[in-house]
C-alpha cells in the first residue's frame, strides 16, 4: 500500500513575496513590512526571503513597481491625441494610487531602477515628443503630471474636515457652514477636485502647445 504524499507547501516566489507585502502595506502601512513579518505570513523561515530580496527596501521597491504596473499605458499607443491620452493616463494612474495609497511615499521617490516605473516614464515622454512637444518641455510635462497625481493621492481635502457642525462656528468661519458635510462626501469631492484640476492643467498645456507650434 502506497503512503499518501504529504501536501506540498506553495513554493516561495518573488510574486508571492510581493503580493503578500503589498497586502500588508495596503492593510497596515509601510511600517508593517519586515522580513520577520513577511516570513510569518508566508509560512517560511526569514532567511529564505534573502534568496529573492536582500533588504526590506528592495521589497518595498518591488511593491511600488507592482502598483506602477497597474497603470494603463494603452492610450499612448492607440492613436489618441496627446491631450486625451494624458487625461486618460492620469485617471488610470490615480486609480492605481487610490487603491494602494500607503505605497505612494515610495512611488514619490521616482522610478529609480523599477522596470514598470521606467516604462511609464518612457511612454509619457515618448508620446509627448511624438506629438510635437520639444524634449525639454516633454520632460517638464512628465514631471508636472507626476506632481499633480501624486499630490492628489497623498491626502484628501474632504477628509480633512470633521463630521461635527459645532467645529465650524460661523462667528469664526463664516464661509464654512457646510464644511461638516464634506467628510461623508469625501470620495465624490476628491474625484471632482481631481477632474477640475486635471482639466485646468491640460487646458493650460494646450494653450502652451498652440503657442509653441502655431497650431490651434
Amino acid at each position: 500500500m502506497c503512503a499518501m504524499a504529504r501536501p506540498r507547501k506553495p513554493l516561495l516566489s518573488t510574486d508571492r513575496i510581493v503580493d503578500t507585502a503589498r497586502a500588508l502595506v495596503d492593510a497596515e502601512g509601510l511600517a508593517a513590512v519586515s522580513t520577520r513579518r513577511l516570513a510569518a505570513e508566508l509560512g517560511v523561515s526569514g532567511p529564505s526571503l534573502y534568496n529573492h530580496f536582500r533588504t526590506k527596501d528592495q521589497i518595498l521597491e518591488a511593491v511600488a513597481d507592482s502598483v506602477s504596473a497597474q497603470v494603463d499605458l494603452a492610450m499612448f499607443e492607440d492613436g489618441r491625441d496627446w491631450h486625451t491620452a494624458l487625461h486618460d493616463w492620469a485617471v488610470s494612474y490615480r486609480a492605481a494610487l487610490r487603491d494602494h495609497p500607503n505605497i505612494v511615499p515610495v512611488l514619490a521617490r521616482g522610478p529609480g531602477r523599477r522596470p514598470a516605473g521606467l516604462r511609464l516614464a518612457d511612454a509619457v515622454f515618448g508620446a509627448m515628443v511624438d506629438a510635437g512637444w520639444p524634449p525639454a518641455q516633454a520632460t517638464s510635462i512628465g514631471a508636472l503630471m507626476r506632481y499633480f497625481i501624486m499630490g492628489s493621492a497623498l491626502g484628501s481635502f474632504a477628509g480633512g474636515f470633521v463630521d461635527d457642525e459645532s467645529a465650524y462656528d460661523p462667528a469664526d468661519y463664516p464661509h464654512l457652514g457646510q464644511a461638516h458635510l464634506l467628510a461623508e462626501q469625501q470620495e465624490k469631492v476628491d474625484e471632482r477636485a481631481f477632474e477640475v484640476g486635471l482639466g485646468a492643467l491640460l487646458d493650460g498645456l494646450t494653450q502652451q502647445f498652440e503657442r509653441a507650434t502655431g497650431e490651434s
Side-chain angles (χ1 to χ4, degrees):
M1 183 176 181
C2 296
M4 293 183 64
R6 287 182 295 178
R8 299 176 60 189
K9 289 184 178 179
L11 293 175
L12 187 62
S13 67
T14 298
D15 287 343
R16 279 193 68 213
I17 296 170
V18 172
D19 289 347
T20 302
R22 186 174 58 242
L24 276 176
V25 171
D26 287 345
E28 302 179 34
L30 296 172
V33 178
S34 67
T35 52
R36 179 178 296 181
R37 178 73 183 278
L38 276 175
E41 294 285 337
L42 291 161
V44 299
S45 63
S48 62
L49 295 177
Y50 297 123
N51 293 323
H52 301 272
F53 297 100
R54 293 193 300 274
T55 66
K56 169 185 171 177
D57 282 347
Q58 285 187 346
I59 295 172
L60 291 177
E61 287 287 313
V63 170
D65 209 41
S66 74
V67 173
S68 293
Q70 296 175 16
V71 181
D72 186 12
L73 298 177
M75 64 283 297
F76 297 120
E77 303 170 354
D78 61 11
R80 273 174 262 191
D81 63 87
W82 70 265
H83 183 286
T84 303
L86 268 187
H87 174 277
D88 296 348
W89 167 74
V91 170
S92 177
Y93 200 168
R94 183 173 183 272
L97 301 187
R98 184 190 58 218
D99 291 342
H100 307 282
N102 291 335
I103 198 64
V104 172
V106 180
L107 283 164
R109 300 172 190 166
R113 296 177 181 271
R114 299 185 222 118
L118 290 170
R119 283 193 293 272
L120 188 154
D122 181 74
V124 175
F125 177 79
M128 295 306 99
V129 171
D130 289 346
W133 284 96
Q137 287 180 279
T139 299
S140 297
I141 290 170
L144 170 64
M145 296 300 291
R146 280 191 70 255
Y147 300 155
F148 176 70
I149 297 165
M150 292 286 178
S152 75
L154 280 172
S156 164
F157 172 80
F161 293 88
V162 297
D163 185 14
D164 179 1
E165 187 173 3
S166 66
Y168 308 106
D169 188 328
D172 297 320
Y173 315 106
H175 304 296
L176 295 182
Q178 301 296 307
H180 65 286
L181 301 176
L182 289 173
E184 66 182 32
Q185 299 292 324
Q186 177 176 333
E187 184 174 347
K188 183 182 296 185
V189 171
D190 290 344
E191 289 287 343
R192 187 166 60 238
F194 177 77
E195 280 292 345
V196 169
L198 180 59
L201 189 158
L202 292 175
D203 286 348
L205 286 176
T206 298
Q207 293 178 18
Q208 289 190 29
F209 186 74
E210 290 172 356
R211 287 196 299 268
T213 62
E215 295 183 16
S216 59

